Amino acid sequence: MKGNENTIKWQGVSLKDIAKEFGTPVYVYDADKILEKLSELKNAFSNHNLKIKYAVKALSNLSILKLLKNNGTGVDVVSIEEAQLALKAGFEPEEILFTPNCVSFDEIQQGVELGLTINIDNISILEQFGHKYHNTVPCCVRLNPHIMAGGNSKISTGHIGSKFGVSIYQLPHLMRVIETTNIDVIGLHMHTGSDILDAEVFLRGADILFGIAQEFPNLKFLDFGSGFKVSYKEGDIITNVYDLGVKLGKAFDDFCASYGKNLEIWFEPGKYLVSEAGYFLVNTNVVKATPATVFVGVDSGFNHLIRPMMYDAYHEIINISNLDGIKRIYTIVGHICETDTFGIDRKMSEVREGDILAIKNAGAYGFSMASNYNSRLRPAEVLVINGEAKLIRERETFEDLYRNQVEIDV
Ligand SMILES: *Cc1c(COP(=O)(O)O)cnc(C)c1O
C-alpha cells in the first residue's frame, strides 16, 4: 500500500479508479494484506500446532471467508447464521467453532446438528447439553478469567461485570455439572476482548487457563481467543505477535509437558487479519464552513461505519484525490440526520467537493455493522486480488429497502 504518482495503488490498482468504476460509498479490501497478516501470525507460532479460527463477525463476506479457507484457517462464529455462511463458503463443520452468548438451547442443538464444534459459555446451557448429549458430543467451555483487556471497557469482555464466559470462581460448580452429566470437554476457551496491549495480558490469562486445564484430562486444544491490537494511527502500540509467539509459545510448551500431551493452540483473530486491509471510500458532497469549523460532508454516515460513534474509534482519513495538497483542518461528517462524525479537527490535504476520501482500518466491523438507517442503501464491497478489483457485493438497490415489508390496507 504505497502512494505514488499522486495516487494510492494496491497490487497496481488505483483506489481512485475503484471509486470511479464501482461508485461510492464502497468498501475495498486488499487480499494481499489479509494474507500478509495471516502469515505473520502463522510464522510467530511456526513451532506449534496452531489453529487460526477467523472471527467471522469482523467481516463476513463469502469471498473473504473463501480466501481465508483456501489459506488454511478455520472460523469462529457467534450465531447459527454465521455458521451457515461459513458452511456456504466451504468450511467443514468441524473447522467451525460456535461461540455464541446467551442463545437458546435450541440454537445450540442446531449447531450440534450441523456438526460444529460447540463452545458453551454458561452453566445453565451446559447442564442441558450434558443431560441431552452426555459424552456423545464433545464440547469446549468458555471461561472468564477476569483479566482486563486494555483500552475501552465497551470492548473488554473478561472483567467481573461481563456477561461472557463461565467465571473461574464457578469452577467447583462447573466441574460438578460436567462430572454428573459426563460431558466430554475437549477444549477450554477465553476471549477477554479486543485491544490487549501486550503479551503480558495474554500470559496472565494463559496461566489461569493452564491451571484449570489440569482438571480436564481429555483436552485437544486451548483457545486464547483474540484481543490482538492493530494500528489505527501512527504511533499506536500494536500487539507484537512474534513477542507473543516466543513468550506464550514457551509457556504453552511448559504446560503441555506437565499435562503430558501436545495440545493445539487456537486463536480467533478478527480485526488483526482484516482491519488494515480495508479502506472505506466516500465522496465529498459538500465543504461547509461554519463559524466554528470547516465540515467535510461525505456520502455516508454511521449507517455504514459506526465504530467512530459507537466506540470512539479513531480512523485515519486521507484525501486520495489530492494526496499532495496543502494541509488544512477539517471535521469529517456523514450525511445522515444524526450526529455522525468520522473525525474531528483532522489535518489533511485540502478537500474539494467531489474528492474521494479513504477511511482507513475499515476492514473489520465496517460493513458487518452497517445498517439501513435513514433508509440509505448499504455500500458495495470490492476485493483487490491477483492485481484486479473484483466486486464481491453489489450495492443495495431501492427494492432491498422494502423487500420484506408487508403492505396492508390501512
Ligand atoms: C469478536 C470475537 C473475536 C474477534 O475479536 P477481534 O478483536 O476482532 O480480533 C474472537 N473471539 C470471539 C469469541 C469474539 O466474540
Short mmCIF file of all heavy atoms in Angstrom, two decimals, residues 183-222:
data_model
loop_
_atom_site.label_atom_id
_atom_site.label_comp_id
_atom_site.label_asym_id
_atom_site.label_seq_id
_atom_site.Cartn_x
_atom_site.Cartn_y
_atom_site.Cartn_z
N ILE A 183 -19.90 -34.95 30.60
CA ILE A 183 -19.61 -34.20 29.37
C ILE A 183 -18.14 -34.39 28.98
O ILE A 183 -17.25 -34.39 29.83
CB ILE A 183 -19.91 -32.70 29.57
CG1 ILE A 183 -21.40 -32.50 29.86
CG2 ILE A 183 -19.50 -31.88 28.36
CD1 ILE A 183 -21.76 -31.07 30.25
N ASP A 184 -17.91 -34.54 27.67
CA ASP A 184 -16.55 -34.69 27.15
C ASP A 184 -16.00 -33.32 26.76
O ASP A 184 -16.27 -32.81 25.67
CB ASP A 184 -16.60 -35.63 25.93
CG ASP A 184 -15.21 -35.88 25.35
OD1 ASP A 184 -14.21 -35.66 26.06
OD2 ASP A 184 -15.14 -36.29 24.17
N VAL A 185 -15.23 -32.71 27.65
CA VAL A 185 -14.68 -31.37 27.38
C VAL A 185 -13.34 -31.52 26.65
O VAL A 185 -12.37 -32.03 27.20
CB VAL A 185 -14.49 -30.58 28.69
CG1 VAL A 185 -13.87 -29.21 28.39
CG2 VAL A 185 -15.83 -30.41 29.39
N ILE A 186 -13.32 -31.05 25.39
CA ILE A 186 -12.10 -31.20 24.59
C ILE A 186 -11.34 -29.88 24.41
O ILE A 186 -10.25 -29.86 23.86
CB ILE A 186 -12.41 -31.78 23.19
CG1 ILE A 186 -13.41 -30.89 22.44
CG2 ILE A 186 -12.90 -33.22 23.29
CD1 ILE A 186 -13.44 -31.13 20.95
N GLY A 187 -11.95 -28.79 24.88
CA GLY A 187 -11.24 -27.52 24.73
C GLY A 187 -11.64 -26.54 25.81
O GLY A 187 -12.75 -26.60 26.34
N LEU A 188 -10.72 -25.67 26.15
CA LEU A 188 -11.03 -24.55 27.05
C LEU A 188 -10.73 -23.27 26.29
O LEU A 188 -9.77 -23.21 25.49
CB LEU A 188 -10.20 -24.61 28.33
CG LEU A 188 -10.48 -25.77 29.27
CD1 LEU A 188 -9.55 -25.67 30.49
CD2 LEU A 188 -11.94 -25.79 29.74
N HIS A 189 -11.55 -22.27 26.55
CA HIS A 189 -11.51 -21.06 25.75
C HIS A 189 -11.54 -19.82 26.64
O HIS A 189 -12.20 -19.81 27.68
CB HIS A 189 -12.76 -21.07 24.85
CG HIS A 189 -13.03 -19.81 24.10
ND1 HIS A 189 -13.66 -18.72 24.66
CD2 HIS A 189 -12.79 -19.47 22.81
CE1 HIS A 189 -13.78 -17.77 23.74
NE2 HIS A 189 -13.27 -18.20 22.61
N MET A 190 -10.82 -18.81 26.24
CA MET A 190 -11.02 -17.49 26.85
C MET A 190 -10.89 -16.45 25.75
O MET A 190 -10.11 -16.60 24.81
CB MET A 190 -10.01 -17.22 27.95
CG MET A 190 -8.57 -17.14 27.47
SD MET A 190 -7.49 -16.50 28.77
CE MET A 190 -6.20 -15.74 27.78
N HIS A 191 -11.70 -15.44 25.83
CA HIS A 191 -11.56 -14.29 24.91
C HIS A 191 -11.87 -13.08 25.74
O HIS A 191 -13.01 -12.85 26.12
CB HIS A 191 -12.54 -14.42 23.74
CG HIS A 191 -12.64 -13.15 22.92
ND1 HIS A 191 -11.61 -12.66 22.16
CD2 HIS A 191 -13.65 -12.27 22.78
CE1 HIS A 191 -11.99 -11.54 21.57
NE2 HIS A 191 -13.22 -11.27 21.93
N THR A 192 -10.84 -12.33 26.07
CA THR A 192 -11.03 -11.26 27.04
C THR A 192 -11.34 -9.93 26.37
O THR A 192 -11.37 -8.91 27.03
CB THR A 192 -9.81 -11.12 27.95
OG1 THR A 192 -8.66 -11.03 27.12
CG2 THR A 192 -9.68 -12.30 28.86
N GLY A 193 -11.57 -9.95 25.09
CA GLY A 193 -11.98 -8.71 24.44
C GLY A 193 -10.89 -8.16 23.55
O GLY A 193 -9.76 -8.62 23.56
N SER A 194 -11.28 -7.18 22.80
CA SER A 194 -10.36 -6.62 21.83
C SER A 194 -9.36 -5.69 22.51
O SER A 194 -9.55 -5.26 23.63
CB SER A 194 -11.15 -5.83 20.79
OG SER A 194 -11.97 -6.71 20.07
N ASP A 195 -8.28 -5.44 21.80
CA ASP A 195 -7.31 -4.44 22.22
C ASP A 195 -6.51 -4.79 23.47
O ASP A 195 -6.47 -4.02 24.44
CB ASP A 195 -7.99 -3.07 22.43
CG ASP A 195 -8.35 -2.44 21.09
OD1 ASP A 195 -8.15 -3.12 20.07
OD2 ASP A 195 -8.81 -1.30 21.07
N ILE A 196 -5.91 -5.95 23.47
CA ILE A 196 -4.95 -6.26 24.52
C ILE A 196 -3.60 -5.69 24.10
O ILE A 196 -3.17 -5.86 22.97
CB ILE A 196 -4.85 -7.79 24.73
CG1 ILE A 196 -6.15 -8.27 25.35
CG2 ILE A 196 -3.67 -8.13 25.61
CD1 ILE A 196 -6.20 -9.75 25.60
N LEU A 197 -2.97 -4.97 25.01
CA LEU A 197 -1.77 -4.24 24.61
C LEU A 197 -0.57 -5.12 24.35
O LEU A 197 0.20 -4.91 23.46
CB LEU A 197 -1.41 -3.19 25.67
CG LEU A 197 -2.29 -1.95 25.65
CD1 LEU A 197 -1.93 -1.03 26.80
CD2 LEU A 197 -2.13 -1.20 24.33
N ASP A 198 -0.37 -6.12 25.18
CA ASP A 198 0.89 -6.86 25.04
C ASP A 198 0.76 -8.31 25.46
O ASP A 198 -0.27 -8.77 25.92
CB ASP A 198 1.97 -6.16 25.88
CG ASP A 198 1.54 -6.02 27.32
OD1 ASP A 198 0.87 -6.93 27.84
OD2 ASP A 198 1.84 -4.98 27.93
N ALA A 199 1.85 -9.00 25.26
CA ALA A 199 1.91 -10.43 25.54
C ALA A 199 1.63 -10.72 27.02
O ALA A 199 1.13 -11.79 27.36
CB ALA A 199 3.28 -10.96 25.16
N GLU A 200 1.92 -9.74 27.89
CA GLU A 200 1.77 -9.99 29.33
C GLU A 200 0.33 -10.31 29.73
O GLU A 200 0.09 -11.17 30.57
CB GLU A 200 2.25 -8.77 30.14
CG GLU A 200 3.70 -8.38 29.91
CD GLU A 200 4.67 -9.54 30.18
OE1 GLU A 200 4.44 -10.28 31.15
OE2 GLU A 200 5.63 -9.69 29.40
N VAL A 201 -0.62 -9.62 29.11
CA VAL A 201 -2.02 -9.86 29.45
C VAL A 201 -2.45 -11.26 28.99
O VAL A 201 -3.11 -11.99 29.72
CB VAL A 201 -2.95 -8.79 28.84
CG1 VAL A 201 -4.40 -9.05 29.23
CG2 VAL A 201 -2.53 -7.41 29.30
N PHE A 202 -2.01 -11.61 27.79
CA PHE A 202 -2.27 -12.97 27.31
C PHE A 202 -1.69 -13.98 28.28
O PHE A 202 -2.32 -14.99 28.60
CB PHE A 202 -1.61 -13.18 25.94
CG PHE A 202 -2.55 -12.99 24.79
CD1 PHE A 202 -2.51 -11.84 24.04
CD2 PHE A 202 -3.46 -13.99 24.45
CE1 PHE A 202 -3.38 -11.67 22.96
CE2 PHE A 202 -4.32 -13.82 23.37
CZ PHE A 202 -4.27 -12.65 22.63
N LEU A 203 -0.48 -13.70 28.73
CA LEU A 203 0.21 -14.65 29.61
C LEU A 203 -0.51 -14.82 30.94
O LEU A 203 -0.61 -15.93 31.45
CB LEU A 203 1.65 -14.19 29.86
CG LEU A 203 2.61 -14.50 28.71
CD1 LEU A 203 4.00 -13.94 29.02
CD2 LEU A 203 2.70 -16.00 28.45
N ARG A 204 -1.05 -13.71 31.44
CA ARG A 204 -1.79 -13.80 32.71
C ARG A 204 -3.01 -14.68 32.54
O ARG A 204 -3.30 -15.56 33.35
CB ARG A 204 -2.20 -12.40 33.19
CG ARG A 204 -1.22 -11.82 34.18
CD ARG A 204 -1.85 -10.64 34.91
NE ARG A 204 -1.91 -9.48 34.03
CZ ARG A 204 -2.90 -8.60 34.02
NH1 ARG A 204 -3.93 -8.73 34.86
NH2 ARG A 204 -2.87 -7.57 33.20
N GLY A 205 -3.74 -14.45 31.46
CA GLY A 205 -4.91 -15.27 31.16
C GLY A 205 -4.51 -16.71 30.92
O GLY A 205 -5.17 -17.64 31.39
N ALA A 206 -3.43 -16.88 30.20
CA ALA A 206 -2.96 -18.23 29.86
C ALA A 206 -2.61 -19.01 31.12
O ALA A 206 -2.98 -20.18 31.26
CB ALA A 206 -1.74 -18.14 28.94
N ASP A 207 -1.94 -18.36 32.05
CA ASP A 207 -1.55 -19.02 33.31
C ASP A 207 -2.77 -19.56 34.03
O ASP A 207 -2.76 -20.67 34.56
CB ASP A 207 -0.85 -18.01 34.24
CG ASP A 207 0.66 -18.11 34.08
OD1 ASP A 207 1.10 -19.11 33.48
OD2 ASP A 207 1.35 -17.18 34.53
N ILE A 208 -3.83 -18.74 34.05
CA ILE A 208 -5.07 -19.17 34.70
C ILE A 208 -5.65 -20.38 33.97
O ILE A 208 -6.04 -21.37 34.58
CB ILE A 208 -6.07 -18.00 34.72
CG1 ILE A 208 -5.53 -16.89 35.63
CG2 ILE A 208 -7.45 -18.46 35.18
CD1 ILE A 208 -6.28 -15.57 35.54
N LEU A 209 -5.64 -20.31 32.63
CA LEU A 209 -6.18 -21.41 31.83
C LEU A 209 -5.35 -22.69 32.02
O LEU A 209 -5.91 -23.78 32.15
CB LEU A 209 -6.17 -20.98 30.35
CG LEU A 209 -7.32 -21.47 29.48
CD1 LEU A 209 -8.66 -21.03 30.05
CD2 LEU A 209 -7.18 -20.93 28.05
N PHE A 210 -4.04 -22.55 32.08
CA PHE A 210 -3.17 -23.72 32.26
C PHE A 210 -3.49 -24.43 33.58
O PHE A 210 -3.54 -25.65 33.64
CB PHE A 210 -1.69 -23.32 32.27
CG PHE A 210 -1.19 -22.78 30.96
CD1 PHE A 210 -0.17 -21.85 30.92
CD2 PHE A 210 -1.74 -23.21 29.75
CE1 PHE A 210 0.30 -21.34 29.70
CE2 PHE A 210 -1.29 -22.71 28.53
CZ PHE A 210 -0.26 -21.77 28.52
N GLY A 211 -3.72 -23.62 34.62
CA GLY A 211 -4.02 -24.20 35.93
C GLY A 211 -5.31 -25.00 35.88
O GLY A 211 -5.38 -26.15 36.34
N ILE A 212 -6.33 -24.41 35.28
CA ILE A 212 -7.64 -25.05 35.21
C ILE A 212 -7.60 -26.28 34.29
O ILE A 212 -8.24 -27.30 34.55
CB ILE A 212 -8.70 -24.03 34.74
CG1 ILE A 212 -8.87 -22.96 35.81
CG2 ILE A 212 -10.03 -24.71 34.44
CD1 ILE A 212 -9.72 -21.78 35.40
N ALA A 213 -6.81 -26.17 33.22
CA ALA A 213 -6.75 -27.25 32.22
C ALA A 213 -6.30 -28.58 32.84
O ALA A 213 -6.68 -29.65 32.35
CB ALA A 213 -5.81 -26.85 31.09
N GLN A 214 -5.54 -28.49 33.91
CA GLN A 214 -5.07 -29.74 34.55
C GLN A 214 -6.23 -30.58 35.07
O GLN A 214 -6.08 -31.79 35.26
CB GLN A 214 -4.10 -29.42 35.70
CG GLN A 214 -2.83 -28.68 35.29
CD GLN A 214 -1.84 -29.52 34.48
OE1 GLN A 214 -2.07 -30.71 34.24
NE2 GLN A 214 -0.76 -28.90 34.04
N GLU A 215 -7.38 -29.95 35.28
CA GLU A 215 -8.55 -30.69 35.79
C GLU A 215 -9.27 -31.45 34.68
O GLU A 215 -10.21 -32.19 34.96
CB GLU A 215 -9.57 -29.71 36.39
CG GLU A 215 -9.01 -28.68 37.34
CD GLU A 215 -8.87 -29.23 38.75
OE1 GLU A 215 -9.76 -30.00 39.15
OE2 GLU A 215 -7.86 -28.91 39.40
N PHE A 216 -8.91 -31.19 33.43
CA PHE A 216 -9.64 -31.78 32.28
C PHE A 216 -8.71 -32.73 31.51
O PHE A 216 -7.85 -32.27 30.77
CB PHE A 216 -10.14 -30.68 31.35
CG PHE A 216 -11.17 -29.77 31.97
CD1 PHE A 216 -10.78 -28.68 32.75
CD2 PHE A 216 -12.53 -29.99 31.77
CE1 PHE A 216 -11.72 -27.85 33.33
CE2 PHE A 216 -13.48 -29.15 32.33
CZ PHE A 216 -13.07 -28.08 33.13
N PRO A 217 -8.90 -34.04 31.67
CA PRO A 217 -7.95 -34.99 31.09
C PRO A 217 -8.05 -35.18 29.58
O PRO A 217 -7.15 -35.72 28.96
CB PRO A 217 -8.29 -36.30 31.81
CG PRO A 217 -9.71 -36.14 32.24
CD PRO A 217 -9.93 -34.70 32.48
N ASN A 218 -9.15 -34.73 28.96
CA ASN A 218 -9.41 -35.08 27.55
C ASN A 218 -9.18 -33.95 26.56
O ASN A 218 -9.71 -33.97 25.46
CB ASN A 218 -10.87 -35.52 27.40
CG ASN A 218 -10.93 -37.03 27.29
OD1 ASN A 218 -9.90 -37.68 27.19
ND2 ASN A 218 -12.14 -37.56 27.31
N LEU A 219 -8.44 -32.92 26.96
CA LEU A 219 -8.34 -31.73 26.10
C LEU A 219 -7.57 -32.00 24.82
O LEU A 219 -6.62 -32.78 24.79
CB LEU A 219 -7.64 -30.59 26.87
CG LEU A 219 -8.39 -30.06 28.08
CD1 LEU A 219 -7.55 -28.97 28.76
CD2 LEU A 219 -9.76 -29.50 27.67
N LYS A 220 -8.05 -31.34 23.75
CA LYS A 220 -7.33 -31.37 22.47
C LYS A 220 -6.74 -29.99 22.16
O LYS A 220 -5.78 -29.86 21.43
CB LYS A 220 -8.28 -31.75 21.33
CG LYS A 220 -8.84 -33.17 21.45
CD LYS A 220 -9.44 -33.60 20.11
CE LYS A 220 -9.76 -35.08 20.07
NZ LYS A 220 -10.97 -35.41 20.85
N PHE A 221 -7.39 -28.95 22.69
CA PHE A 221 -6.89 -27.60 22.38
C PHE A 221 -7.18 -26.62 23.51
O PHE A 221 -8.07 -26.84 24.34
CB PHE A 221 -7.52 -27.07 21.08
CG PHE A 221 -9.03 -26.87 21.16
CD1 PHE A 221 -9.57 -25.68 21.62
CD2 PHE A 221 -9.90 -27.89 20.75
CE1 PHE A 221 -10.95 -25.50 21.67
CE2 PHE A 221 -11.28 -27.71 20.80
CZ PHE A 221 -11.81 -26.52 21.27
N LEU A 222 -6.38 -25.57 23.52
CA LEU A 222 -6.67 -24.39 24.35
C LEU A 222 -6.83 -23.22 23.39
O LEU A 222 -6.01 -23.03 22.48
CB LEU A 222 -5.55 -24.10 25.34
CG LEU A 222 -5.33 -25.12 26.47
CD1 LEU A 222 -4.20 -24.64 27.38
CD2 LEU A 222 -6.60 -25.34 27.28
#
